[in-house]
């Protein structure tokens, strides 16, 4: 049994009188100790997928269908209390802006203690020891537990956030763009830390990023999302040679490859379609250089390629590829 | 493009010191006001039609240098000289400054804040023209705005003119900001992280625009970025900054292929390569860039340098030339040569 199994998840937002289909039929599984990267442009439903899993969706959003199984239990049917017991203890999340995610009037130590005490009945000393251990895990001096967030640098705040996410030994940690707004070197340090912690603590991780290059060092598998759907699901080891979906290939060509031949990078013309009224056929068809008439009419089939590789595309070269199976 | 081989900009020993807050008691005691050295002795030149990139982490002084070049800083905080076409920008008379302001333009990082939300796109772009009384007739104004918007890739320009910034995407806003700079037909452009707020899928368009301006109109550019791979992609030369000082400067290909300074080597090794990384190839630096008010003694990189020796924390290494204008400030290079 997989640790987390998301099947055909649909999450919708009520925007005025319209419905916005932010997540539209997303399926993936996560095994223990595995890390999955959710990649895509802004507005593709990556964060909404993550928030659906721990049910932190804003008031105007709801999961309309699909199932989220955590260790065989249905998350979507859990009560408020059930969810609260699961959050942080089983699945925790590191938010995007470490600057804004911490409470400015509480010390770092107290904020971590909050998370621990909600789930575990520990003595004051035990909590203190646990905070010191957590801070050292993320390479912050244990004495700094009495500091306030404004006394920390951006990188340290993000480390403190990670320490907080680890407070109750969760089995899954979700990183929602954990390094945006941080410096390149600090970014690399944070990814390095997450990767090391994941190995040491045998945690599973979902890393949400708009930066395809950022996840290549940290993830085992990549799910490329476009307009609320996963268009390609592939092992990172195969991504560079086997990327099949036109969107994935275009994304890859929008990064310069320093050290190789200097070639101008490509852009993807157009923008993500309006998700209150998504296109009938393939959602990428308006921006796809290889679009055919059929792409506008019917949603693409999901094709299974060898090596846990799934692509949703009409391209005949994929459909007729050796070993390809239709779903 | 002018054939003059002289550099459009030459910067010599530029220092920028921002004053810090001082307790009142110290102020009346006549103590010197503490300062933070944002830029600390920087030398470089920009040739005509050249794109020079400044690469560094936040707090390294990249944007401050950009502003110093355009005389956007209080002259009291600057020492050293910044010469535009051989003339020091601090000595500009009022008329000199008016022409200078038209010839040198800046593109800012955040297209969401750089535009006036109450002005339509047309006035956004046209503002510098009528502020400077550069056009005589309405038709001329319209035509110049139209051409600038077209150059910035807003096509057809007419369809954007009547709209407001909030109706546009991030990439389109950045194009409006670029059109606002382009409408003055500048010779020099400071682009301060112009793509860092944009989605990867549209970065390339903005970069192509900057490269295109250089190729078609010979616009020289100072490109400020934290991303070494983007700098490598579009610029002729790269300067690596650390805590207000240039650590290494040279041709873009040379910096990427043969980095001399340990800081550059480390920056280069953490660049994502979009291929599977071989184990242990990353040279991660520990810690963060130190506070510039208390910069380390000697080489300012010594506190994070993996190769730091005793000498590094005592004296400051000078720039040494390794041929073809590839300079770096590191004692390791002296040892190699010796």
């Amino acid at each position: 049994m997989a640790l987390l199994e998301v099947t055909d998840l649909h999450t919708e937002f009520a925007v005025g009188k319209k419905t916005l289909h932010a997540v539209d039929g997303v399926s993936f599984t996560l095994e223990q100790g595995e890390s999955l990267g959710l990649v895509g442009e802004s507005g593709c439903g990556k964060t909404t997928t993550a928030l659906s899993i721990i049910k932190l969706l804003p008031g105007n959003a709801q999961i309309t269908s699909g199932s989220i199984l955590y260790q065989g239990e249905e998350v979507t049917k859990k009560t408020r209390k059930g969810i609260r017991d699961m959050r942080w203890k089983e699945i925790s999340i590191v938010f995007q802006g470490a600057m804004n995610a911490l409470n400015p009037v509480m010390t770092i130590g107290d904020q971590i203690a909050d998370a621990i005490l909600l789930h575990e009945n520990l003595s004051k000393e035990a909590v203190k020891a646990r905070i010191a251990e957590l801070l050292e895990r993320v390479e912050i001096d244990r004495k700094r537990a009495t500091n306030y967030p404004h006394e920390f640098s951006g990188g340290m705040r993000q480390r403190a956030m990670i320490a907080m996410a680890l407070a109750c030994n969760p089995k899954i940690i979700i990183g929602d763009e954990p390094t945006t707004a941080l410096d390149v070197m600090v970014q690399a340090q944070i990814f390095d830390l997450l990767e090391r912690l994941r190995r040491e603590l045998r945690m599973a991780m979902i890393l949400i990023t708009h930066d395809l290059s950022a996840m290549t060092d940290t993830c085992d598998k990549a799910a490329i999302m476009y307009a609320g759907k996963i268009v390609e699901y592939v092992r990172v080891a195969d991504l560079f040679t086997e990327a099949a979906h036109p969107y994935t290939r275009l994304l890859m060509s929008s990064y310069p490859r320093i050290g190789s031949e200097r070639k101008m990078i490509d852009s993807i013309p157009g923008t993500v379609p309006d998700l209150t009224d998504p296109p009938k056929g393939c959602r990428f068809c308006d921006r796809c250089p290889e679009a055919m008439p059929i792409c506008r009419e019917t949603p693409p089939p999901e094709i299974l390629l060898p090596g846990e590789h799934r692509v949703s595309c009409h391209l005949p070269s994929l459909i007729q590829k050796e070993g390809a199976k239709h779903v | 493009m002018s054939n003059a081989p002289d550099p459009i900009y030459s910067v010599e020993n530029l220092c920028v010191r921002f004053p810090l807050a001082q307790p009142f008691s110290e102020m009346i005691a006549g103590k010197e006001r503490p300062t933070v050295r944002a830029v600390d002795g920087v030398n470089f030149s920009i040739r005509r039609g050249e794109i020079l990139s400044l690469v560094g982490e936040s707090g390294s002084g990249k944007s401050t240098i950009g502003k110093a070049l355009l005389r956007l800083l209080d002259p009291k905080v600057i020492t050293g000289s910044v010469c535009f076409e051989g003339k020091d920008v601090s000595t500009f008379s009022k008329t000199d400054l008016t022409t200078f302001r038209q010839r040198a333009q800046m593109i800012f990082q955040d297209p969401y804040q750089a535009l006036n939300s109450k002005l339509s796109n047309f006035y956004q772009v046209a503002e510098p023209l009528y502020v400077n009384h550069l056009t005589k007739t309405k038709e001329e104004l319209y035509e110049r705005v139209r051409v600038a918007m077209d150059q910035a890739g807003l096509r057809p320009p007419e369809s954007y003119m009547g709209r407001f910034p909030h109706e546009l995407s991030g990439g389109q806003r950045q194009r409006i900001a670029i059109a606002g700079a382009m409408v003055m037909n500048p010779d020099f452009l400071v682009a301060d992280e112009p793509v860092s707020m944009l989605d990867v899928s549209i970065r390339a368009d903005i970069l192509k625009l900057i490269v295109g301006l250089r190729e078609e109109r010979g616009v020289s550019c100072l490109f400020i970025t934290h991303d070494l791979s983007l700098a490598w992609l579009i610029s002729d030369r790269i300067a690596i900054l650390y805590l207000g000082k240039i650590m290494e400067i040279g041709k873009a290909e040379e910096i990427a292929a043969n980095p001399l300074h340990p800081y550059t080597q480390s920056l280069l090794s953490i660049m994502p390569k979009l291929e599977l990384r071989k184990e242990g190839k990353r040279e991660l630096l520990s810690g963060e860039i130190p506070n510039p008010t208390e910069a380390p003694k000697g080489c300012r990189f010594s506190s994070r340098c993996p190769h730091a020796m005793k000498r590094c924390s005592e004296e400051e290494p000078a720039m040494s030339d390794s041929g073809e204008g590839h300079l770096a400030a590191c004692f390791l290079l002296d040892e190699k040569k010796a």
Side-chain angles (χ1 to χ4, degrees):
Chain A
M1 182 177 61
L3 185 61
L4 182 76
E5 201 171 338
V6 177
T7 328
D8 201 26
L9 179 72
H10 287 75
T11 306
E12 291 174 357
F13 283 81
V15 184
K17 282 185 183 146
K18 292 179 188 163
T19 351
L20 190 143
H21 307 268
V23 177
D24 203 7
V26 161
S27 311
F28 61 87
T29 55
L30 193 66
E31 305 287 342
Q32 181 157 15
E34 193 178 52
S35 78
L36 170 77
L38 280 182
V39 196
E41 282 168 271
S42 32
C44 282
K46 308 174 302 256
T47 301
T48 310
T49 307
L51 295 182
S52 303
I53 295 169
I54 51 170
K55 280 200 138 174
L56 275 179
L57 290 167
N60 62 341
Q62 61 167 335
I63 299 171
T64 48
S65 67
S67 88
I68 300 166
L69 288 177
Y70 174 74
Q71 293 191 316
E73 279 179 63
E74 182 60 57
V75 176
T76 52
K77 294 207 172 68
K78 280 200 173 179
T79 57
R80 271 194 134 144
K81 165 125 195 7
I83 289 288
R84 206 156 57 203
D85 289 342
M86 185 193 78
R87 250 181 236 151
W88 243 247
K89 186 104 191 84
E90 308 290 340
I91 305 176
S92 64
I93 185 162
V94 178
F95 290 103
Q96 180 164 7
M99 310 285 167
N100 307 323
L102 292 166
N103 185 342
V105 295
M106 270 172 92
T107 64
I108 298 288
D110 285 350
Q111 296 190 47
I112 301 177
D114 254 7
I116 302 173
L117 289 172
L118 197 64
H119 292 282
E120 283 166 58
N121 202 0
L122 292 177
S123 69
K124 247 184 172 173
E125 284 70 41
V127 171
K128 240 182 167 175
R130 180 105 184 93
I131 292 169
E133 183 204 318
L134 284 166
L135 287 180
E136 263 161 29
R137 240 237 142 104
V138 296
E139 293 157 12
I140 295 177
D141 188 352
R142 57 164 73 200
K143 286 183 205 127
R144 311 269 321 237
T146 53
N147 282 171
Y148 287 89
H150 74 264
E151 296 171 270
F152 277 27
S153 69
M156 283 173 77
R157 279 181 227 183
Q158 199 55 274
R159 283 169 195 272
M161 283 290 293
I162 294 171
M164 209 183 291
L166 297 174
C168 301
N169 295 320
K171 295 200 178 64
I172 302 177
I173 185 164
I174 300 174
D176 185 2
E177 307 250 11
T179 61
T180 11
L182 295 178
D183 260 322
V184 268
M185 190 60 73
V186 182
Q187 234 177 59
Q189 287 168 358
I190 297 284
F191 280 130
D192 208 56
L193 174 74
L194 281 172
E195 175 63 10
R196 198 171 38 98
L197 290 172
R198 184 169 74 86
R199 287 225 178 105
E200 282 172 16
L201 308 171
R202 297 241 331 116
M203 283 185 310
M205 185 164 84
I206 299 176
L207 184 71
I208 297 171
T209 176
H210 65 274
D211 190 345
L212 186 70
S213 61
M215 48 135 254
T216 56
D217 286 325
T218 5
C219 295
D220 304 319
K221 283 179 188 156
I224 289 90
M225 280 191 83
Y226 185 77
K229 284 184 185 292
I230 292 180
V231 294
E232 183 157 13
Y233 184 84
V234 61
R235 281 198 297 237
V236 171
D238 299 334
L239 178 66
F240 309 106
T241 46
E242 306 283 321
H245 197 280
Y247 182 58
T248 317
R249 282 186 272 138
L250 279 171
L251 265 188
M252 285 178 53
S253 65
S254 53
Y255 289 92
R257 301 183 177 209
I258 191 163
S260 55
E261 189 201 349
R262 245 204 320 187
K263 206 175 82 196
M264 198 57 203
I265 50 176
D266 293 328
S267 60
I268 311 176
T271 48
V272 181
D274 178 10
L275 291 181
T276 55
D277 181 26
K280 200 159 47 145
C282 172
R283 296 189 168 184
F284 188 55
C285 65
D286 286 335
R287 300 171 79 186
C288 183
E290 295 165 79
M292 302 171 290
I294 187 178
C295 300
R296 290 182 198 287
E297 296 306 318
T298 29
E302 186 161 67
I303 307 160
L304 281 181
L305 296 170
E308 289 183 81
H309 187 171
R310 304 190 324 233
V311 197
S312 299
C313 191
H314 280 299
L315 279 183
S317 59
L318 287 173
I319 295 176
Q320 286 145 20
K321 199 169 172 174
E322 213 175 306
K325 268 187 266 168
H326 295 254
V327 182
Chain B
M1 203 202 301
S2 154
N3 289 325
D6 60 318
I8 187 159
Y9 258 108
S10 62
V11 175
E12 263 168 55
N13 202 21
L14 174 71
C15 296
V16 181
R17 291 191 176 84
F18 291 115
L20 291 169
Q22 186 184 25
F24 185 63
S25 56
E26 283 183 17
M27 208 192 296
I28 50 172
K31 277 196 186 162
E32 204 183 315
R33 198 166 176 186
T35 54
V36 52
R37 294 175 180 200
V39 180
D40 199 9
V42 161
N43 297 292
F44 64 89
S45 63
I46 304 173
R47 288 191 280 270
R48 238 168 244 289
E50 182 182 50
I51 301 181
L52 174 75
S53 285
L54 282 184
V55 180
E57 291 172 82
S58 44
S60 58
K62 316 180 290 269
S63 299
T64 309
I65 293 179
K67 284 180 186 160
L69 254 53
L70 295 184
R71 221 190 117 166
L72 293 174
L73 293 175
D74 184 351
K76 273 182 271 178
V77 301
I78 298 179
T79 54
S81 80
V82 175
C83 292
F84 179 70
E85 293 182 335
K87 201 167 174 195
D88 196 320
V89 294
S90 63
T91 62
F92 278 172
S93 65
K94 213 173 167 197
T95 40
D96 282 344
L97 200 58
T98 314
T99 25
F100 173 67
R101 287 268 176 264
Q102 290 165 16
R103 294 185 58 199
Q105 293 285 326
M106 184 155 186
I107 303 169
F108 292 94
Q109 172 171 14
D110 188 347
Y112 292 84
Q113 288 178 19
L115 301 179
N116 184 339
S117 55
K118 290 186 177 171
L119 286 185
S120 75
N121 294 328
F122 177 83
Y123 286 105
Q124 208 86 240
V125 179
E127 194 169 19
L129 289 177
Y130 62 69
V131 164
N132 288 302
H133 310 292
L134 289 180
T135 49
K136 291 195 181 65
T137 60
K138 268 188 180 167
E139 288 71 33
E140 198 188 339
L141 180 76
Y142 179 86
E143 186 54 25
R144 278 187 73 172
V145 172
R146 201 189 62 77
V147 170
M149 285 173 83
D150 188 68
Q151 274 173 346
L154 294 157
R155 289 181 196 128
E158 289 78 9
S159 69
Y160 289 93
M161 284 178 182
R163 285 152 82 188
F164 285 83
H166 69 87
E167 295 173 81
L168 305 179
S169 68
Q172 288 168 335
R173 282 178 210 219
Q174 196 60 288
R175 286 172 192 273
I176 293 282
I178 293 176
M182 282 305 90
V183 78
M184 306 298 292
N185 291 325
D187 297 311
F188 178 73
L189 195 65
V190 172
D192 189 355
E193 302 255 23
V195 296
S196 65
M197 302 277 290
L198 304 178
D199 249 323
V200 282
S201 57
I202 47 177
R203 279 197 310 196
D205 289 335
I206 302 293
L207 296 176
K208 278 178 194 158
L209 212 55
I210 293 171
V211 175
L213 284 173
R214 189 267 298 268
E215 258 142 43
E216 286 155 28
R217 309 241 309 264
V219 179
S220 326
C221 179
L222 180 75
F223 184 75
I224 297 171
T225 179
H226 64 272
D227 189 333
L228 186 56
S229 62
L230 291 184
W232 164 77
L233 188 69
I234 74 159
S235 54
D236 302 300
R237 285 190 305 146
I238 297 178
I240 310 280
L241 271 179
Y242 187 80
L243 264 185
K245 253 204 145 103
I246 294 180
M247 295 283 120
E248 181 165 359
I249 185 166
K251 281 189 188 145
E253 291 99 336
E254 264 295 295
I255 298 259
N258 183 24
L260 297 174
H261 198 280
Y263 182 56
T264 318
Q265 288 163 0
S266 170
L267 274 184
L268 203 61
S269 80
I270 60 162
M271 279 286 113
K273 295 269 166 46
L274 276 198
E275 58 192 36
L276 280 186
R277 203 181 288 276
K278 286 157 202 108
E279 279 299 315
K281 264 189 75 182
R282 234 162 26 156
E283 292 169 42
L284 261 184
L285 295 177
S286 60
E288 288 171 45
I289 194 161
N291 188 340
T293 45
E294 41 212 67
K297 258 194 200 161
C299 171
R300 50 200 60 215
F301 184 56
S302 60
S303 62
R304 293 171 82 192
C305 183
H307 309 287
M309 304 169 288
K310 193 164 169 280
R311 191 180 169 196
C312 298
S313 52
E314 287 159 1
E315 43 182 321
E316 192 153 22
M319 280 293 216
S320 74
D321 197 338
S322 305
E324 288 188 48
H326 191 174
L327 282 79
C330 185
F331 288 126
L332 287 175
L333 297 171
D334 300 351
E335 280 183 11
K336 248 185 231 166
K337 274 184 202 159

